[in-house]
Amino acid sequence: MRVTTCSKRLILESCGLEDLVYQVDPYVGCGHYCSYCYALNHAETDWREEVRVHEDLSGRLFHELLTIPPQTIYMGYNSDPYQPVEAEQRQTRKALELFVETGHSASFLTKSDLFARDFDLLTRMEDARVSISVAFNDDATRRLFEHDTTPTEMRMDALKQAQDAGLQTSALLCPIIPYVTDAMELLDSLAPVTDTIWVYGLTIRDRNGLNWKNVEAILAGHYPANRKRIEEVVFDREHAYWRDLRTRLEKAQLTMKPELKIHI
Ligand code: SF4
């Protein structure tokens, strides 16, 4: 992976998520290269080859953080803060160090287990939240759709460690790919390690977007018999497949401790 620097821009940006005002993307681009990632459609570079970092992130972000009152800041709105290059680049860790120094807290979503490295910082924040996202039950399928993410089981183990360390935890069951993802099985595995589980189906807004082209190629190559019916369900949110899954999730919620936020 080539690591280059991005054009100078504010590192602290406004955040579109509920209850959070600011976000930091420690990287521009994401080496996880999930085939279905919506952000691929407006990527500045080819994420299989190049990821960009902010020059002097520590110096610049420190000054930006001083201009706002202490609060929870979202890490990685358009990229995964714990993508593979973070092991060496440590841009996310540098940001977390500044959060501790300036009284801020962090919330993030990742497909890695690398965040366990930073428990020493996260546990010093008042309100830190760790979230993982999972979508595939077996590793061969995960590798097909998510080029370079951490195996699902390892993510769940790290989330359990976060919970044991006293951090707030949540999970995103996303994207459910019809006839590929066994959502109910993943739900059972996630339930003991998180308080909240958000559930989303695969959403494709543009059939000409790179993410749908990627997914289409995988379906053609590996799911030829199911390809047509998967596509039919993906583009029909009122399809019986989603209704049936919604019903099963609502039923599971009756006996399950984590709160389910169902968006399918
Ligand atoms: S980890 Fe997230 S940001 Fe990175 S490629 Fe996958 S979906 Fe996109």
Side-chain angles (χ1 to χ4, degrees):
M1 177 63 75
R2 201 150 36 96
V3 179
T4 58
T5 49
C6 62
S7 58
K8 218 160 184 183
R9 57 190 87 180
L10 281 177
I11 300 172
L12 197 58
E13 295 178 291
S14 58
C15 181
L17 297 173
E18 207 181 322
D19 298 333
L20 295 172
V21 182
Y22 293 101
Q23 71 187 56
V24 167
D25 265 305
Y27 298 96
V28 176
C30 182
H32 278 155
Y33 199 80
C34 305
S35 55
Y36 49 79
C37 178
Y38 72 92
L40 286 175
N41 297 347
H42 51 82
E44 290 177 33
T45 59
D46 183 338
W47 292 5
R48 287 165 296 191
E49 294 176 357
E50 183 181 358
V51 167
R52 295 181 173 167
V53 296
H54 299 277
E55 223 170 337
D56 184 26
L57 176 133
S58 298
R60 288 164 54 209
L61 183 58
F62 178 70
H63 291 293
E64 292 178 27
L65 288 171
L66 292 180
T67 64
I68 60 169
Q71 60 194 279
T72 300
I73 296 170
Y74 194 74
M75 294 291 295
Y77 190 69
N78 293 303
S79 60
D80 193 316
Y82 287 101
Q83 59 180 282
V85 293
E86 168 61 14
E88 267 195 12
Q89 294 293 319
R90 299 167 83 91
Q91 295 284 94
T92 296
R93 184 162 175 95
K94 286 176 203 163
L96 296 183
E97 284 167 351
L98 295 176
F99 289 2
V100 170
E101 201 179 330
T102 52
H104 295 286
S105 208
S107 175
F108 57 81
L109 175 71
T110 180
K111 289 177 183 166
S112 168
D113 62 350
L114 183 56
F115 60 83
R117 178 199 65 188
D118 294 337
F119 284 163
D120 60 323
L121 297 170
L122 294 164
T123 51
R124 286 163 65 195
M125 297 174 188
E126 203 167 302
D127 205 22
R129 176 174 289 276
V130 175
S131 309
I132 59 164
S133 93
V134 299
F136 302 104
N137 306 71
D138 67 274
D139 220 42
T141 313
R142 174 193 64 78
R143 276 199 305 272
L144 268 184
F145 287 94
E146 300 174 348
H147 190 257
D148 202 13
T149 58
T150 304
T152 303
E153 230 173 84
M154 289 168 69
R155 290 178 226 175
M156 289 189 190
D157 285 349
L159 195 67
K160 171 83 174 77
Q161 290 171 41
Q163 194 182 48
D164 292 345
L167 295 166
Q168 299 181 79
T169 58
S170 47
L172 188 68
L173 180 36
C174 173
I176 294 171
I177 302 183
Y179 311 112
V180 174
T181 307
D182 184 339
M184 303 312 287
E185 187 185 88
L186 285 172
L187 200 64
D188 282 343
S189 309
L190 285 169
V193 293
T194 177
D195 304 326
T196 312
I197 303 174
W198 304 76
V199 188
Y200 287 87
L202 175 64
T203 303
I204 302 287
R205 301 203 190 285
D206 178 6
R207 275 180 187 268
N208 294 315
L210 180 54
N211 63 346
W212 178 242
K213 286 187 178 147
N214 287 340
V215 172
E216 238 186 344
I218 295 169
L219 297 181
H222 298 270
Y223 300 86
N226 269 347
R227 178 188 166 183
K228 273 284 152 216
R229 67 174 186 153
I230 293 173
E231 181 173 348
E232 199 181 301
V233 178
V234 167
F235 288 99
D236 179 5
R237 305 314 291 189
E238 298 309 316
H239 195 282
Y241 178 94
W242 297 119
R243 281 204 306 275
D244 174 60
L245 181 57
R246 208 175 299 135
T247 305
R248 285 190 289 148
L249 289 165
E250 283 164 1
K251 198 167 160 208
Q253 175 71 101
L254 300 175
T255 52
M256 192 167 271
K257 196 165 155 238
E259 186 187 0
L260 294 187
K261 307 228 182 211
I262 305 168
H263 295 267
I264 56 170

